Amino acid sequence: MMTVEVFVTGRTLTVDTERDLADRILRALTFGESAPESTLDSAREFIHVLVVQPRTWVTGGPAADTAPRYLVRVTVPGSWSNREFADAIVPMITEAVAGTEPDATRLRREPHCVVQIVGLREHCVGTLGHATTGTEITRLMTRRFRDSGERPEAPEGSTIDPVCGMAVEWATARYTLAHDGVDHAFCAPGCRKVYAEDHGLT
């Protein structure tokens, strides 16, 4: 469950350009070769992108009145919010926003796109009518892949996360678990926890 709020000032966005900006961010977060389509498709159901143009926005700097500014607030379960997550998400979102500008390199030179990652405490986000944990949301997001029986082939030097289907390089794997004599690697602690719970390893 991820909410991405994009606050924009310094440029007038039409409904179409707002939609383009939101679509670019959603695509950046849920497209790629790293995970099977069943996982990415499920992830799209749990990501909400809102574009907001505040009536009042006061900021400073030499380009305060001329350069568009962006404040992007990404709200996720607290268990997802860590340095590794930020290192992946901040560039993705910055590039997606930059793609809507005439100069796509400006936001790499000027601090005019600030991305804030807000982690919610466990049980402070919910769906299906009840409070949920980050692990439960991971389970919902990966259910289609796990139920499909799909098992992609791992690139050389990698393995497939058995929960979400992402390719994980053994050399850099941070989250691993052995079960029934087989070593597994996971893309994130949430996937490792789902596997452990499902196999009675907690």
Side-chain angles (χ1 to χ4, degrees):
M1 177 100 39
M2 181 186 304
T3 303
V4 183
E5 299 168 277
V6 187
F7 299 90
V8 184
T9 190
R11 64 184 284 199
T12 302
L13 300 180
T14 65
V15 171
D16 287 341
T17 54
E18 284 183 344
R19 181 65 188 221
D20 178 53
L21 177 55
D23 283 341
R24 283 174 182 267
I25 291 171
L26 183 62
R27 283 196 306 271
L29 297 173
T30 60
F31 283 84
E33 300 175 2
S34 60
E37 188 59 29
S38 57
T39 298
L40 295 174
D41 193 43
S42 292
R44 290 179 196 115
E45 285 187 287
F46 289 89
I47 298 175
H48 307 278
V49 183
L50 297 82
V51 178
V52 181
Q53 297 181 76
R55 289 178 52 195
T56 304
W57 184 323
V58 178
T59 189
D65 297 326
T66 58
R69 304 288 183 104
Y70 307 89
L71 172 63
V72 184
R73 184 176 301 129
V74 183
T75 306
V76 293
S79 60
W80 297 8
S81 180
N82 56 39
R83 175 65 185 267
E84 186 177 8
F85 181 82
D87 284 345
I89 293 295
V90 172
M92 278 184 200
I93 289 177
T94 303
E95 290 303 316
V97 173
T100 69
E101 291 228 319
D103 177 0
T105 65
R106 181 177 77 87
L107 300 182
R108 291 283 185 182
R109 299 189 316 268
E110 304 290 340
H112 295 168
C113 181
V114 175
V115 180
Q116 300 174 339
I117 298 173
V118 180
L120 298 174
R121 292 173 59 187
E122 286 289 81
H123 305 289
C124 288
V125 63
T127 189
L128 304 176
H130 60 88
T132 54
T133 65
T135 305
E136 289 172 300
I137 293 169
T138 298
R139 183 174 275 110
L140 287 169
M141 291 175 72
T142 59
R143 181 174 55 198
R144 286 183 194 160
F145 169 74
R146 290 180 291 114
D147 290 350
S148 72
E150 176 186 3
R151 292 299 172 260
E153 188 171 328
E156 187 173 339
S158 300
T159 187
I160 298 299
D161 182 325
V163 174
C164 70
M166 285 185 67
V168 181
E169 290 184 12
W170 279 114
T172 57
R174 294 182 58 196
Y175 311 103
T176 60
L177 189 64
H179 177 55
D180 285 345
V182 178
D183 291 328
H184 300 282
F186 304 87
C187 69
C191 282
R192 184 186 186 280
K193 191 170 181 183
V194 167
Y195 186 90
E197 288 179 357
D198 287 353
H199 292 82
L201 303 176
T202 55

